[in-house]
Amino acid sequence: MEIVILPDAADSGHLAGGAVAALLARKPDAVLGLATGSSPLPVYDDLVARYTAGEISFARATAFTLDEYVGLPADHPERYSTVIREAFTSRVDLRPDAVHGPDGLATDIPAACAAYDAAIAEAGGIDLQILGIGTDGHIAFNEPGSSLASRTRIKTLTHQTRADNARFFGGDIDAVPTRCLTQGLGTIMEAGHIVLTASGQNKAEAVHQLAEGGVSALWPATILQHHPHVSVLVDEAAASRLQLASYYRQTWAAKPEWQGL
Ligand code: GLP
């Protein structure tokens, strides 16, 4: 796991955007994993800037999102399928039918979840997964206690996650759905390269656990310690609890540019 400590979230966005651009250059039909939440927004802004400048194209790419609320009406602005379209996919040349997400309105939820994992596999697997992290260490919506081998499935959100996400629902925690569909930790672990971004003091403990804690279902993101290619891009505040911060800084400063992320 590589930890990169950067001055601010825009720098993380630029670095992550560079990794996506390099992937598209060598594999124009790449399969991208997209995350919602506020953390990846600078990544999407950077990718839109590169696309607008004519540097990259997503015309042959495919995308899979991580998760979705269960039961939000099709026209609800906070459905993740809507959120990702507005934040990113409609701003570049990704074909709308090449963007997939778990179906939070499915009548047969287990079948929809199994079909989602099968669709990712059929597309050849995710080449690069953009990821955020929750304050309680969740990734996608894999809350503490999640099986470290889990597949896409239905989950119940913790009170903490609903409180964190209430800001997207007018500050009303009761308006935040209680359940969601989410790629499992086992599903996420199959991505070729995982680029996780985090910023702000409220992520400091989760980032410390992710990189330096014992692997445990209590901090689901710690499963990423078992992945061979994870890049964690954090700002100073999110890095503030890292025990080995000075080593990470030295390592990054000494890294030859050709290595990329
Ligand atoms: C949400 C999403 C996650 C996201 C996390 C952090 O609940 N399901 O994919 O990484 O919580 O969100 P934010 O980046 O807004 O802090």
Side-chain angles (χ1 to χ4, degrees):
M1 183 178 290
E2 178 173 46
I3 317 291
V4 186
I5 303 170
L6 295 158
D8 60 44
D11 297 306
S12 299
H14 186 63
L15 193 55
V20 175
L23 169 65
L24 287 170
R26 66 176 182 272
K27 188 179 180 189
D29 59 348
V31 181
L32 301 173
L34 305 178
T36 45
S38 46
S39 307
L41 295 179
V43 184
Y44 299 143
D45 288 344
D46 181 83
L47 289 174
V48 170
R50 290 175 196 268
Y51 163 70
T52 308
E55 291 171 23
I56 53 173
S57 169
F58 298 86
R60 293 176 55 199
T62 306
F64 288 87
T65 59
L66 285 169
D67 45 14
E68 182 60 277
Y69 292 112
V70 167
L72 280 187
D75 60 351
H76 196 288
E78 290 305 325
R79 281 190 88 204
Y80 279 174
S81 56
T82 306
V83 169
I84 200 70
R85 190 165 59 237
E86 285 178 4
F88 179 52
T89 60
S90 69
R91 301 167 68 201
V92 296
D93 58 347
L94 252 169
R95 287 175 296 110
D97 65 353
V99 182
H100 309 278
D103 181 3
L105 291 172
T107 45
D108 185 343
I109 284 180
C113 291
Y116 196 62
D117 277 349
I120 295 172
E122 203 172 309
I126 289 165
D127 292 300
L128 188 152
Q129 175 67 57
I130 294 165
L131 208 55
I133 186 168
T135 55
D136 61 1
H138 73 244
I139 50 175
F141 269 139
N142 292 281
E143 297 285 27
S146 289
S147 157
L148 299 179
S150 48
R151 312 301 306 176
T152 299
R153 69 216 184 288
I154 190 166
K155 287 291 287 180
T156 299
L157 297 172
T158 61
H159 180 81
Q160 175 70 57
T161 296
R162 293 179 70 228
D164 287 347
N165 289 1
R167 67 190 192 279
F168 299 115
F169 291 81
D172 177 11
I173 189 171
D174 294 327
V176 184
T178 54
R179 292 187 303 165
C180 62
L181 303 186
T182 180
Q183 280 189 35
L185 294 170
T187 317
I188 294 168
M189 286 288 285
E190 287 168 4
H193 180 196
I194 295 174
V195 180
L196 184 151
T197 62
S199 59
Q201 189 67 39
N202 63 335
K203 299 291 173 71
E205 179 64 18
V207 167
H208 163 59
Q209 294 291 340
L210 155 71
E212 299 170 336
V215 175
S216 158
L218 253 194
W219 292 92
T222 56
I223 189 62
L224 299 180
Q225 293 176 25
H226 282 289
H227 192 286
H229 193 186
V230 178
S231 309
V232 176
L233 316 182
V234 291
D235 71 355
E236 294 287 346
S240 60
R241 285 195 40 83
L242 286 171
Q243 225 168 294
L244 303 181
S246 58
Y247 174 64
Y248 306 140
R249 288 184 210 278
Q250 282 165 27
T251 309
W252 179 248
K255 190 176 185 183
E257 205 171 317
W258 60 263
Q259 269 189 306
L261 278 181

